[in-house]
Amino acid sequence: MSSHPNDTDKKWILESLAEAKLAGIDVPIGAVIVHDGKVIARGHNERETTQDPTAHAEIIAIREAAKTFGTWRLKGCTVYTSLEPCPMCAEALIQARVDRVVFGAYDPASGACGTVFNLFVEGRIYPIPQLTCGVLEDECKQIIVDFFRLKPKAIRQ
C-alpha cells in the first residue's frame, strides 16, 4: 500500500471527481479506469437513479471496461475512484484482475482497502492490485460531506 501519489494519480483522481459530480441524486462517487494513459471506462453512483443496489461507480466502470476490452480480465488497468471501495467493489476489482487501485477519500463506514475491512491482503489465490490511498483526500472527502450536509434528512437512508 502506498500513500505517495504522483502527478498522474492526481490528474486521474480529479477526473474521477468530475465523474462524481455527474451523480445527481446519488452519493457523488466517481471512478475512471485507465489503460495506456487513456480513460477506457467511467462510472458514477447510480443506485438511486436505477434502483439497483450494485450500481456503484466502480462496478459501472468495470462493466464498461470489460465491454471495451471484450474480456473480464482488466490486466494493465488502473482504477481511480474518489472514495475507498466498499467490500463489493473491492472484491470486484480483485476479481477483474486490475493491476492498480488509487482512491481519494477513506471510507470510515465501509472502506474495504484497510479502513474498516481489508480485502487487499496477500496470500489470496488471486493477484492483489497495488494500492495507492488518500490521493487528493480533502477534495474527495469534501464533495461527499457537502452532499450529505445539503441533502434532506428524509432521503439519507
Side-chain angles (χ1 to χ4, degrees):
M1 181 167 33
S2 168
S3 60
H4 302 292
N6 57 41
D7 288 341
T8 300
D9 289 342
K10 291 175 184 175
K11 169 187 171 182
W12 295 122
I13 284 292
L14 286 171
E15 189 73 18
S16 77
L17 270 173
E19 186 67 26
K21 292 175 183 175
L22 302 175
I25 63 171
D26 284 275
V27 178
I29 299 166
V32 296
I33 300 180
V34 175
H35 184 265
D36 288 337
K38 296 178 187 161
V39 174
I40 61 158
R42 56 182 66 243
H44 55 270
N45 274 4
E46 296 183 18
R47 291 187 309 170
E48 296 295 334
T49 306
T50 63
Q51 292 302 301
D52 176 354
T54 68
H56 288 206
E58 299 92 335
I59 300 297
I60 291 166
I62 288 168
R63 289 176 179 155
E64 183 180 321
K67 285 179 187 171
T68 298
F69 269 14
T71 179
W72 60 268
R73 291 175 183 88
L74 303 180
K75 297 289 293 170
C77 292
T78 299
V79 177
Y80 294 89
T81 183
S82 57
L83 183 68
E84 178 182 7
C86 71
M88 175 181 68
C89 294
E91 187 63 28
L93 293 165
I94 292 168
Q95 293 296 323
R97 309 296 197 267
V98 301
D99 288 356
R100 192 163 171 246
V101 175
V102 180
F103 71 81
Y106 291 86
D107 184 354
S110 62
C113 298
T115 299
V116 179
F117 310 100
N118 189 6
L119 296 180
F120 285 59
V121 293
E122 294 300 323
R124 295 188 60 187
I125 63 170
Y126 307 112
I128 301 300
Q130 179 187 354
L131 194 57
T132 302
C133 313
V135 178
L136 299 177
E137 180 181 1
D138 292 339
E139 294 90 328
C140 292
K141 183 178 177 180
Q142 193 60 51
I143 190 173
I144 295 170
V145 168
D146 291 347
F147 174 80
F148 282 108
R149 190 182 75 237
L150 299 171
K151 189 172 184 180
K153 190 172 186 174
I155 301 174
R156 289 185 196 171
Q157 302 173 29

